[in-house]
Amino acid sequence: MIISADASYPILKQNNLKPDFVTTMERIELSGKFFDTQVSQFDNGITFVVSSLIHPNTIKLLNGRDVAFAHKPLRFEYALQEDSKNYMCKGPSTAHFAFDLAIDLGCKQIIFIGQDLAMASDGTTHAKGMVLGETSPTISSKEYEPNITTVLGYGGKTYVKSIKTWDLFREYFETMIDTLSSYTDVKVYNATEGGSRIKGTIEKPFKELVDEIISKNIEKILVKPQPISTQDSQIKLTKQKEIIENFIKVGKERNELIKELFKRISKLVESADRDLAANKEPRYAKFYELKDRIDRLKATLDADKSFGDLYMYTAYNFCVHQELEFTAMMVRPEANKSERDKKIFEYVRQHGYYFFSLAGMIETTIDTLQNALDGWEV
């Protein structure tokens, strides 16, 4: 079977080479241009496998074709409680999505072709006939030069220019292949005959692989997704709407606790700042009490799976950064009680910013969920 990434679909269509599946997962509007052509006889029999997290323009342009949606393996999407087989789209690019699909379909021999992940000697970045152009204007600019790197080329005897992002793509492929080899006998070939070397693949020209594998009259058995019944669709939508409504309810309840604590922190810090401005000692005992309350609330939030699957996951990068700052603060040496008091004071003060920001992120997430629900028809 042939699994094509979205960017290759227009080129295959021009040359009347029909893929069995086409994958797409980019969230930018520009990706829809790959499908901005008239639906034709060529599209019959092709299944377009689309990430559930995709730009609406792509969905619009795929109208009239056979489309199957797959969930990304994100905590929020896992929380929708779908069957495990509905989750794929691992990795940072559509090509990784295609590889993931090939694995899920049970392919035992997988051939990469066109996965060069490097720049050509003339500086072009994409294949001839590429819808968005053969050379990316961004990559060809001088400002982009720090992002260009040199990597081992196909065959292992030369070096080629690549881009740091593409090199990350290569490393992700290598990790996927290494993991795959630990529990399956799947063979992965690279027939690109150029570009970066992808470790773990067997490098062979496509013609040789045609003679060895494809020309053996192996029967192609395609597993095509079938539409579910209207009744089953309604049941799924109703169930997932209930899950999302519960997310909203949990978010509102937890955010009230966060806002209430933020107000207490703000009030106490303002009082302490007035005391300090008047050369008076702040009421540090109150800060110790508030620190205990902060820690109890954070423990409650950590233990709440529904809250964690969505809100803490959405705010993950911010929260991790802040927690590292808090940890560094609390392990700072203290010679006496005065230094301990000031440390606790600063710990509480910094949590004012933490809870204020977290509350804003939660409200934005709730609004996003509610806006999405308002457009549902169940």
Side-chain angles (χ1 to χ4, degrees):
M1 71 181 70
I2 299 174
I3 303 176
S4 166
D6 49 12
S8 300
Y9 163 74
I11 300 173
L12 293 176
K13 190 170 186 176
Q14 288 171 11
N15 291 277
N16 201 34
L17 295 171
K18 180 181 286 195
D20 299 295
F21 298 92
V22 176
T23 57
T24 186
M25 66 180 283
E26 295 290 345
R27 286 176 274 175
I28 59 172
E29 184 175 4
L30 203 58
S31 289
K33 286 185 69 68
F34 300 132
F35 312 110
D36 194 7
T37 56
Q38 191 71 32
V39 179
S40 65
Q41 185 70 27
F42 177 83
D43 296 305
N44 291 344
I46 302 175
T47 301
F48 295 81
V49 189
V50 181
S51 164
S52 58
L53 192 60
I54 200 77
H55 196 281
N57 187 53
T58 301
I59 298 173
K60 178 182 175 182
L61 291 170
L62 282 169
N63 189 39
R65 299 174 171 95
D66 291 335
V67 179
F69 289 92
H71 284 295
K72 292 178 72 67
L74 304 174
R75 279 179 65 182
F76 166 67
E77 300 207 19
Y78 273 128
L80 296 176
Q81 301 174 23
E82 278 288 332
D83 294 335
S84 59
K85 63 177 178 294
N86 293 341
Y87 294 90
M88 55 179 75
C89 315
K90 291 191 292 291
S93 80
T94 304
H96 296 95
F97 184 8
F99 186 33
D100 205 18
L101 176 61
I103 295 167
D104 279 6
L105 289 172
C107 298
K108 294 296 183 182
Q109 298 179 102
I110 301 172
I111 302 171
F112 290 173
I113 186 163
Q115 277 304 300
D116 60 300
L117 300 174
M119 302 167 67
S121 56
D122 63 358
T124 55
T125 57
H126 294 83
K128 290 181 180 180
M130 167 71 168
V131 168
L132 303 181
E134 296 171 17
T135 303
S136 167
T138 304
I139 293 172
S140 61
S141 65
K142 284 190 176 181
E143 290 79 5
Y144 205 82
E145 285 181 3
N147 292 300
I148 296 175
T149 186
T150 301
V151 299
L152 188 64
Y154 187 94
K157 295 181 180 179
T158 59
Y159 285 85
V160 294
K161 285 187 176 180
S162 184
I163 298 165
K164 290 179 180 178
T165 301
W166 293 348
D167 205 36
L168 289 173
F169 289 0
R170 173 190 60 79
E171 291 176 352
Y172 200 95
F173 269 128
E174 291 176 352
T175 299
M176 290 179 75
I177 293 166
D178 184 59
T179 302
L180 190 64
S181 66
S182 68
Y183 68 91
T184 73
D185 58 354
V186 173
K187 291 183 179 179
V188 183
Y189 299 89
N190 189 354
T192 303
E193 297 188 66
S196 300
R197 163 167 271 194
I198 302 174
K199 294 177 183 176
T201 63
I202 302 167
E203 297 175 332
K204 277 193 176 185
F206 187 63
K207 186 180 183 305
E208 289 185 22
L209 292 171
V210 169
D211 294 337
E212 290 178 17
I213 301 171
I214 303 174
S215 64
K216 290 183 177 180
N217 295 320
I218 299 173
E219 183 182 358
K220 181 167 73 172
I221 302 174
L222 290 180
V223 179
K224 291 283 187 176
Q226 298 299 317
I228 63 175
S229 68
T230 302
Q231 182 180 0
D232 287 343
S233 176
Q234 291 297 316
I235 292 171
K236 279 180 173 289
L237 284 173
T238 300
K239 178 183 176 183
Q240 294 191 353
K241 184 177 182 181
E242 289 172 355
I243 291 172
I244 294 172
E245 286 173 339
N246 183 63
F247 275 138
I248 293 173
K249 177 176 177 289
V250 168
K252 288 179 177 179
E253 290 174 349
R254 296 307 186 194
N255 216 20
E256 284 304 311
L257 297 177
I258 291 169
K259 288 178 181 178
E260 192 272 334
L261 186 53
F262 164 71
K263 289 176 184 176
R264 285 179 173 268
I265 293 171
S266 298
K267 186 176 180 180
L268 187 59
V269 168
E270 287 173 5
S271 175
D273 285 341
R274 286 195 298 270
D275 288 340
L276 290 170
N279 293 319
K280 292 171 59 179
E281 189 84 350
R283 293 174 296 170
Y284 286 120
K286 294 290 184 181
F287 283 90
Y288 281 86
E289 292 174 9
L290 206 48
K291 177 188 179 298
D292 289 341
R293 185 164 178 176
I294 287 169
D295 292 343
R296 287 198 304 272
L297 177 58
K298 289 170 72 174
T300 298
L301 298 178
D302 286 342
D304 189 332
K305 187 177 186 304
S306 292
F307 185 83
D309 281 343
L310 179 57
Y311 300 102
M312 294 304 289
Y313 181 75
T314 302
Y316 178 79
N317 289 335
F318 166 78
C319 292
V320 167
H321 174 75
Q322 291 299 309
E323 290 299 339
L324 289 173
E325 294 287 335
F326 296 145
T327 301
M329 181 190 305
M330 294 308 291
V331 298
R332 194 171 62 215
E334 53 200 47
N336 49 52
K337 187 178 184 302
S338 177
E339 291 185 1
R340 174 70 177 173
D341 290 343
K342 291 174 182 177
K343 181 191 290 188
I344 298 302
F345 171 56
E346 190 60 28
Y347 180 85
V348 172
R349 179 198 288 274
Q350 291 299 326
H351 271 84
Y353 168 73
Y354 174 82
F355 286 130
F356 175 79
S357 301
L358 183 58
M361 294 179 193
I362 292 169
E363 284 189 356
T364 300
T365 304
I366 290 171
D367 289 344
T368 301
L369 289 175
Q370 191 61 62
N371 288 337
L373 274 187
D374 290 344
W376 277 28
E377 294 181 6
V378 179

